Amino acid sequence: MIDRLMTLAQSLRQCLWARPLAACLLSVAAVALAAALDGAWQLKDPPEVSAESIESLLSIMASSMLVIAIFAAGAMVAAYASASNTASPRSFPLVLEDDVSQNAYSMFVAAFIFGVVGLVALQNGSFGTVGRFALFLETALVFALVILTFVRWVDRIARLGRLSNTVDRAEDAALDAVEQRRRDPRLGGAPASGLPEDATDITASGVGHVCRVDLAALEDCAQAHGLRLELVALPGRFVATGDVLLRVQAGPSGIDPGVPARLRKAYHLERTRQFGNDPRFGLVVLSEIAGRALSPAVNDPGTAVDVIGRLVRVFDRWCRTLPEPGTDVPRYPRVQVPEVTAEDLAEDAFTAIVRDGAGSIEVMCRLFKALAAMASFGDESLARCARQLARDALVLAEARLPLEAQRHRVRALASFAAD
């Protein structure tokens, strides 16, 4: 249940209507609270606030906040388009989740609703002396929040959608996903030791990317029917109809007819990959940003150099993060889950950069230095993959760099990868 609620919360963060709707409901509730305080809040000699003064403030709020909200929406849409065009279309969800922009837009819409509802209620005599005083305090508070929100939002919108901001968000997403998977490398499942050859394959009935796997549901089904399961498709993998999702080892009585459908329901497919449960996707997006920067149309090797440094930081986090205590005891002992390997992560991160940056001496120099650093992190599988990537990059660089001096330089930097 907690996993489902977290998934729902993550989905709502990408819905631009969710926070404005909640803010509008709060604004209506604030007006209703002010009216309710007339009979519930007993004040001796309450301050007298004229209805005309409150009406003028609410009129200003109602007439101006809608314009500001429309302006905010236009600025956000322009920032989202800029992020998709300058970085990578896959980075759009990261920019969409910007809390400051969503909170600002919600605040402006809520202030408009508060002004309209408060103005209608005031003109229809819904407030007494205490209610008008409470409504005045709420109006002053809303004005203060609008000013503070606007000042903070202007500073954020000046950066939102810029390439550097988008790269920062992609790096943060990659760091969070890598650290999360590193702390729980098997998602609570048992180590993947393999099932017998006669195990039954459970195939997908749809097409999409695996967004989430409900291991608790798989464990419950396995315990109820005496099964042992092995995951084949992890979050992030693209599956088509007929592709194997998991393998099932049944007991002597076999597999009940309704079990395959129940097991498929534990797999949640989406049209696109998600960052949260997929540590490889953030690296893919960073690699795409570097690849776009290295295209002849953009010709921005500096961005590629910057991305390579960020990728090294992600792999440093991978090597430094240790599994949490207790993860060696699986929460779902009947479900075997393979671990994400350092080789998979390194190939996702650097394969495109090796291919597209082979003709740029500055990119190659930074790449070989980055791979050498990764080879020294203490992870043998990562070091082995880094050396292989360096050898591949050297072959491409020698074929595409125009000057012998440049080729000699990259040979020296790639010497750590020599067999």
Side-chain angles (χ1 to χ4, degrees):
M1 180 61 68
I2 295 177
D3 189 31
R4 293 177 181 175
L5 291 176
M6 292 179 62
T7 302
L8 178 61
Q10 184 68 23
S11 300
L12 289 177
R13 287 189 65 188
Q14 298 182 9
C15 297
L16 290 180
W17 55 265
R19 295 191 192 187
L21 177 60
C24 291
L25 295 176
L26 287 176
S27 65
V28 175
V31 176
L33 176 64
L37 288 177
D38 269 320
W41 190 17
Q42 301 297 328
L43 283 179
K44 183 179 181 180
D45 299 328
E48 181 68 32
V49 181
S50 66
E52 291 77 11
S53 62
I54 302 176
E55 183 176 345
S56 62
L57 292 175
L58 292 175
S59 298
I60 294 172
M61 187 178 298
S63 60
S64 60
M65 285 299 101
L66 183 60
V67 177
I68 296 178
I70 294 173
F71 165 73
M76 290 165 62
V77 170
Y80 299 153
S82 175
S84 297
N85 293 331
T86 60
S88 168
R90 263 63 62 188
S91 65
F92 174 72
L94 299 174
V95 184
L96 192 65
E97 293 176 1
D98 180 64
D99 291 331
V100 174
S101 296
Q102 288 201 28
N103 291 339
Y105 179 66
S106 303
M107 186 68 225
F108 301 150
V109 175
F112 167 72
I113 298 298
F114 177 82
V116 171
V117 175
L119 193 60
V120 171
L122 186 64
Q123 291 177 346
N124 285 275
S126 301
F127 301 99
T129 302
V130 174
R132 288 197 301 271
F133 176 63
L135 184 62
F136 174 77
L137 293 180
E138 290 179 351
T139 305
L141 177 62
V142 170
F143 263 112
L145 290 176
V146 166
I147 293 173
L148 292 176
T149 301
F150 184 78
V151 171
R152 186 185 180 199
W153 174 73
V154 167
D155 179 73
R156 176 60 65 90
I157 202 65
R159 298 174 174 82
L160 188 66
R162 299 296 185 266
L163 181 59
S164 59
N165 178 267
T166 306
V167 177
D168 287 341
R169 292 184 176 278
E171 180 189 356
D172 291 340
L175 287 170
D176 292 342
V178 163
E179 183 175 2
Q180 178 182 346
R181 180 59 62 86
R182 191 65 166 169
R183 291 186 181 280
D184 191 4
R186 294 182 297 275
L187 304 176
S193 57
L195 296 181
E197 294 182 359
D198 59 349
T200 303
D201 293 338
I202 303 298
T203 58
S205 59
V207 179
H209 292 274
V210 178
C211 173
R212 182 173 64 89
V213 183
D214 191 346
L215 266 72
L218 293 177
E219 178 70 17
D220 292 341
C221 183
Q223 289 184 355
H225 297 276
L227 309 175
R228 301 194 69 84
L229 310 177
E230 180 186 11
L231 265 62
V232 176
L234 293 176
R237 178 171 174 176
F238 179 80
V239 296
T241 303
D243 287 347
V244 178
L245 296 176
L246 68 163
R247 305 182 71 230
V248 181
Q249 179 186 5
S253 60
I255 301 177
D256 293 342
V259 168
R262 184 176 174 184
L263 295 176
R264 289 189 186 96
K265 288 182 63 177
Y267 272 82
H268 299 265
L269 304 183
E270 297 287 347
R271 295 180 179 179
T272 58
R273 296 176 73 172
Q274 308 292 323
F275 286 93
N277 298 320
D278 185 3
R280 302 175 64 174
F281 189 38
L283 297 173
V284 169
V285 172
L286 285 170
S287 180
E288 287 182 348
I289 294 173
R292 181 184 288 261
L294 291 171
S295 65
V298 178
N299 191 22
D300 181 18
T303 295
V305 169
D306 177 56
V307 168
I308 291 172
R310 295 171 185 269
L311 290 171
V312 174
R313 191 153 46 237
V314 173
F315 283 99
D316 179 69
R317 178 73 61 87
W318 168 270
C319 294
R320 289 177 179 271
T321 305
L322 300 177
E324 292 183 348
T327 54
D328 54 335
V329 180
R331 301 190 301 273
Y332 314 111
R334 290 182 173 269
V335 184
Q336 298 181 14
V337 182
E339 298 185 19
V340 175
T341 64
E343 291 92 336
D344 293 335
L345 297 176
E347 290 178 359
D348 289 336
F350 291 104
T351 299
I353 299 176
V354 168
R355 179 196 65 218
D356 298 331
S360 174
I361 181 61
E362 59 265 46
V363 173
M364 284 293 99
C365 289
R366 175 57 65 90
L367 177 63
F368 286 121
K369 292 177 182 178
L371 294 175
M374 290 166 51
S376 66
F377 283 167
D379 188 314
E380 183 55 38
S381 61
L382 179 61
R384 184 170 54 253
C385 185
R387 288 191 289 267
Q388 182 59 51
L389 286 170
R391 290 191 289 268
D392 295 342
L394 180 60
V395 172
L396 291 173
E398 289 183 329
R400 294 174 58 182
L401 289 174
L403 301 179
E404 178 59 32
Q406 295 176 344
R407 293 192 289 270
H408 177 74
R409 185 177 179 186
V410 296
R411 289 191 199 103
L413 292 173
S415 59
F416 75 95
D419 293 329

